[in-house]
Amino acid sequence: MIGNLKPLEILLIIAVIFLLFGAKKLPDMARSLGKSARILKSEAKAMKAESQADEAAAATVADQAPQQAAAPRTIKAAPGDVTGSRPVNEPNHSTQG
């Protein structure tokens, strides 16, 4: 679908976007899009490294006797946000009433 667009149609789409958002907001939008892409890329690398480490640990554990449990895993928020981290197995302490 996108490959079928002609140059005039692409220019028309760019002009509409420019008119909707204005010249001042477009650089900020592009900057935030780039920042989001970098965060996504770093999180994907971290997940891949964690997966490889888990596979290596599983192979090591299968060869050795069981040892003490590791520290509890946490769910992480945005990079640098330490208030958003919490243990995975922690029960939800919401109050009802």
Side-chain angles (χ1 to χ4, degrees):
M1 169 103 181
I2 293 177
N4 296 336
L5 292 177
K6 298 176 185 171
L8 183 59
E9 294 169 341
I10 294 172
L11 287 175
L12 181 63
I13 291 171
I14 291 172
V16 169
I17 291 172
F18 187 74
L19 289 173
L20 285 175
F21 295 109
K24 291 184 180 181
K25 295 214 178 207
L26 287 177
D28 292 335
M29 290 173 54
R31 194 174 299 117
S32 65
L33 182 64
K35 189 176 186 179
S36 299
R38 282 191 302 272
I39 291 171
L40 179 66
K41 185 178 178 181
S42 67
E43 290 296 323
K45 282 183 181 180
M47 288 176 60
K48 186 175 180 181
E50 182 179 320
S51 173
Q52 290 174 349
D54 287 346
E55 289 174 2
T60 304
V61 169
D63 294 340
Q64 297 177 353
Q67 297 178 355
Q68 290 182 343
R73 295 179 55 169
T74 59
I75 298 174
K76 295 184 180 178
D81 181 18
V82 295
T83 60
S85 299
R86 62 179 172 81
V88 174
N89 295 330
E90 181 179 306
N92 189 0
H93 296 292
S94 63
T95 58
Q96 296 178 353

